[in-house]
Amino acid sequence: MFTKTHAKYIQSLHHKKFRDEYRVFFAEGPKLVPELIDGRFSPCTLLLATAEWLAEHDSWLKKQVIDEVVELKDFELDKISALSQPNKVLAVFEKLETDEDFNPAGNITILLDGLQDPGNMGTIIRIADWFGIPNIVCSTNCADRYNPKVVQATMGSIGRVNMVYTGLVDWLSAQKGLPVYAAALDGVPLQKIPKVKEGIIIIGNESKGIGEPLMQMATKKITIPRKGQAESLNAAVALGVVLAQLVE
């Protein structure tokens, strides 16, 4: 039975402080929740769903390992959801394991400098998954990967991309022999850059771009040639264009 304790618990997870304290995050919706559970990325500790959804997935649920399954009504889901239109099911998962000591050699790695928009962050995780990029390194002031808006925007890719939050200058200083590409407005046009199998691509803050210390560490500045009058591109869109052009 759905209780006030359940409601207070889920509502607390809307805030990073409590996600960090409890070491969990939540996801919503009839597509995302089953994908995360089926992916076995991390244990599901609590699933809350409408009677209709539970009935439709009864045989599937019997095959899953979920600590607690709770039936709730639509208006109760409305109270705890982070979505403008709550959708049948919400589940809590333990935070994913992070490989902070991964070796970037032989792969493309994305560096995000001050990327603060949750929607952009989630879309970038999904783009990385699409292009088979295993690792994203974020500055400590980037949006939290477990922000509900980030989780929803990943559409399940959050479980397939390793993410590290750290000081980017120190991290990049420790990488030797890898080319570093910085997305900038005054760089070399993408069409003139050969395809790459390994390297580091830096994407900057939505409004401020890449910080100067990181920009100075880049081996090459790259740009998407502009033909119209738009001042800039959305960070996630820019990354998608860059990867489509550069990744071999």
Side-chain angles (χ1 to χ4, degrees):
M1 186 176 86
F2 183 74
T3 66
K4 290 183 179 179
T5 300
H6 289 120
K8 289 181 179 179
Y9 176 58
I10 300 301
Q11 288 166 349
S12 74
L13 299 184
H14 289 240
H15 306 283
K16 184 177 186 300
K17 171 185 176 181
F18 294 103
R19 294 194 298 270
D20 289 346
E21 179 179 339
Y22 301 140
R23 301 293 302 164
V24 297
F25 69 100
F26 70 90
E28 300 185 64
K31 182 180 185 302
L32 178 56
V33 168
E35 182 172 351
L36 291 179
I37 292 175
D38 283 336
R40 303 290 193 270
F41 303 120
S42 64
C44 179
T45 60
L46 172 64
L47 186 143
L48 305 113
T50 62
E52 176 189 14
W53 191 91
L54 291 173
E56 290 176 354
H57 294 80
D58 181 64
S59 59
W60 175 80
L61 282 168
K62 290 177 180 177
K63 302 174 185 177
Q64 310 307 322
V65 179
I66 301 173
D67 292 350
E68 183 180 7
V69 176
V70 176
E71 180 182 322
L72 45 54
K73 301 183 185 304
D74 287 332
F75 77 89
E76 293 171 325
L77 183 58
D78 290 345
K79 292 180 180 180
I80 61 175
S81 174
L83 301 177
S84 57
Q85 294 183 321
N87 200 356
K88 298 182 180 180
V89 59
L90 181 153
V92 178
F93 299 86
E94 292 182 9
K95 283 191 174 183
L96 303 157
E97 292 186 9
T98 298
D99 180 8
E100 297 187 355
D101 299 318
F102 73 90
N103 183 357
N107 286 303
I108 301 293
T109 300
I110 298 169
L111 258 64
L112 300 179
D113 183 21
L115 198 88
Q116 297 175 342
D117 181 81
N120 263 342
M121 176 65 82
T123 303
I124 283 175
I125 295 169
R126 191 176 178 188
I127 289 170
D129 187 21
W130 178 269
F131 284 97
I133 293 172
N135 301 291
I136 297 176
V137 181
C138 305
S139 60
T140 55
N141 61 339
C142 279
D144 176 26
R145 74 185 294 195
Y146 299 113
N147 179 301
K149 291 183 179 179
V150 174
V151 175
Q152 293 304 124
T154 69
M155 296 298 289
S157 293
I158 189 171
R160 292 184 288 269
V161 179
N162 180 53
M163 295 184 68
V164 175
Y165 286 75
T166 188
L168 297 189
V169 171
D170 289 343
W171 186 88
L172 196 54
S173 297
Q175 313 311 315
K176 306 298 182 183
L178 289 176
V180 180
Y181 302 91
L185 293 175
D186 58 346
V188 177
L190 275 176
Q191 293 86 339
K192 296 183 178 181
I193 307 294
K195 298 281 189 180
V196 297
K197 290 184 177 180
E198 65 175 5
I200 297 165
I201 297 174
I202 309 175
I203 299 292
N205 175 273
E206 290 88 352
S207 60
K208 300 176 183 178
I210 298 169
E212 190 57 31
L214 280 178
M215 190 67 81
Q216 292 179 0
M217 300 175 74
T219 54
K220 190 175 290 293
K221 291 196 290 185
I222 57 176
T223 192
I224 301 167
R226 178 174 56 184
K227 296 183 179 180
Q229 299 300 312
E231 180 181 353
S232 62
L233 279 176
N234 171 283
V237 171
L239 177 63
V241 174
V242 168
L243 294 177
Q245 181 67 35
L246 284 188
V247 173
E248 188 171 79

mmCIF file of all heavy atoms in Angstrom, residues 23 29 41 84-85 88 152 187 200 223 238 243:
data_model
loop_
_atom_site.group_PDB
_atom_site.id
_atom_site.type_symbol
_atom_site.label_atom_id
_atom_site.label_comp_id
_atom_site.label_asym_id
_atom_site.label_seq_id
_atom_site.Cartn_x
_atom_site.Cartn_y
_atom_site.Cartn_z
ATOM 1 N N ARG A 23 22.099 7.203 -1.829
ATOM 2 C CA ARG A 23 22.802 6.499 -2.913
ATOM 3 C C ARG A 23 21.836 5.861 -3.907
ATOM 4 O O ARG A 23 22.032 4.736 -4.366
ATOM 5 C CB ARG A 23 23.750 5.429 -2.345
ATOM 6 C CG ARG A 23 24.826 5.936 -1.399
ATOM 7 C CD ARG A 23 25.829 6.797 -2.119
ATOM 8 N NE ARG A 23 26.460 6.063 -3.224
ATOM 9 C CZ ARG A 23 27.138 6.650 -4.213
ATOM 10 N NH1 ARG A 23 27.241 7.965 -4.254
ATOM 11 N NH2 ARG A 23 27.672 5.926 -5.165
ATOM 12 N N GLY A 29 8.138 6.112 -16.145
ATOM 13 C CA GLY A 29 7.543 5.846 -17.438
ATOM 14 C C GLY A 29 7.593 4.395 -17.862
ATOM 15 O O GLY A 29 8.509 3.650 -17.510
ATOM 16 N N PHE A 41 21.423 -2.824 -14.799
ATOM 17 C CA PHE A 41 22.509 -1.872 -14.568
ATOM 18 C C PHE A 41 22.769 -1.677 -13.080
ATOM 19 O O PHE A 41 23.904 -1.518 -12.647
ATOM 20 C CB PHE A 41 22.167 -0.521 -15.208
ATOM 21 C CG PHE A 41 21.883 -0.600 -16.683
ATOM 22 C CD1 PHE A 41 20.665 -0.205 -17.186
ATOM 23 C CD2 PHE A 41 22.839 -1.086 -17.565
ATOM 24 C CE1 PHE A 41 20.391 -0.270 -18.543
ATOM 25 C CE2 PHE A 41 22.577 -1.167 -18.914
ATOM 26 C CZ PHE A 41 21.356 -0.761 -19.402
ATOM 27 N N SER A 84 5.691 16.454 -16.030
ATOM 28 C CA SER A 84 4.503 17.287 -16.137
ATOM 29 C C SER A 84 3.263 16.429 -16.361
ATOM 30 O O SER A 84 2.158 16.801 -15.966
ATOM 31 C CB SER A 84 4.660 18.297 -17.278
ATOM 32 O OG SER A 84 4.915 17.633 -18.506
ATOM 33 N N GLN A 85 3.468 15.262 -16.983
ATOM 34 C CA GLN A 85 2.382 14.304 -17.183
ATOM 35 C C GLN A 85 2.847 12.926 -16.688
ATOM 36 O O GLN A 85 3.388 12.135 -17.457
ATOM 37 C CB GLN A 85 1.976 14.228 -18.653
ATOM 38 C CG GLN A 85 1.360 15.521 -19.175
ATOM 39 C CD GLN A 85 0.896 15.413 -20.607
ATOM 40 O OE1 GLN A 85 1.548 14.785 -21.445
ATOM 41 N NE2 GLN A 85 -0.232 16.019 -20.913
ATOM 42 N N LYS A 88 2.187 6.255 -15.204
ATOM 43 C CA LYS A 88 1.915 4.878 -14.770
ATOM 44 C C LYS A 88 2.908 4.252 -13.800
ATOM 45 O O LYS A 88 2.527 3.481 -12.929
ATOM 46 C CB LYS A 88 1.776 3.961 -15.985
ATOM 47 C CG LYS A 88 0.628 4.328 -16.892
ATOM 48 C CD LYS A 88 0.510 3.332 -18.058
ATOM 49 C CE LYS A 88 -0.635 3.702 -18.975
ATOM 50 N NZ LYS A 88 -0.764 2.759 -20.111
ATOM 51 N N GLN A 152 15.533 11.064 -17.394
ATOM 52 C CA GLN A 152 14.483 10.899 -18.403
ATOM 53 C C GLN A 152 15.016 11.149 -19.804
ATOM 54 O O GLN A 152 14.678 10.436 -20.747
ATOM 55 C CB GLN A 152 13.315 11.845 -18.116
ATOM 56 C CG GLN A 152 12.538 11.527 -16.850
ATOM 57 C CD GLN A 152 11.997 10.120 -16.789
ATOM 58 O OE1 GLN A 152 12.274 9.373 -15.852
ATOM 59 N NE2 GLN A 152 11.237 9.729 -17.770
ATOM 60 N N GLY A 187 37.397 27.720 -34.646
ATOM 61 C CA GLY A 187 38.285 26.593 -34.901
ATOM 62 C C GLY A 187 38.369 26.218 -36.369
ATOM 63 O O GLY A 187 37.829 26.899 -37.251
ATOM 64 N N ILE A 200 40.012 13.050 -27.297
ATOM 65 C CA ILE A 200 39.169 13.683 -26.290
ATOM 66 C C ILE A 200 38.493 14.889 -26.931
ATOM 67 O O ILE A 200 39.142 15.721 -27.560
ATOM 68 C CB ILE A 200 40.020 14.111 -25.079
ATOM 69 C CG1 ILE A 200 40.630 12.865 -24.414
ATOM 70 C CG2 ILE A 200 39.184 14.896 -24.082
ATOM 71 C CD1 ILE A 200 41.750 13.163 -23.456
ATOM 72 N N THR A 223 35.341 23.620 -35.329
ATOM 73 C CA THR A 223 34.085 24.346 -35.386
ATOM 74 C C THR A 223 33.147 23.766 -36.439
ATOM 75 O O THR A 223 33.598 23.139 -37.407
ATOM 76 C CB THR A 223 34.335 25.840 -35.691
ATOM 77 O OG1 THR A 223 33.139 26.577 -35.473
ATOM 78 C CG2 THR A 223 34.779 26.042 -37.135
ATOM 79 N N ALA A 238 25.422 20.295 -31.041
ATOM 80 C CA ALA A 238 26.792 20.484 -31.523
ATOM 81 C C ALA A 238 27.601 19.199 -31.373
ATOM 82 O O ALA A 238 28.338 18.803 -32.284
ATOM 83 C CB ALA A 238 27.465 21.631 -30.774
ATOM 84 N N LEU A 243 30.445 14.464 -33.538
ATOM 85 C CA LEU A 243 30.686 13.028 -33.530
ATOM 86 C C LEU A 243 30.347 12.389 -34.873
ATOM 87 O O LEU A 243 31.065 11.502 -35.340
ATOM 88 C CB LEU A 243 29.883 12.358 -32.411
ATOM 89 C CG LEU A 243 30.282 12.731 -30.983
ATOM 90 C CD1 LEU A 243 29.361 12.054 -29.973
ATOM 91 C CD2 LEU A 243 31.736 12.360 -30.701
#
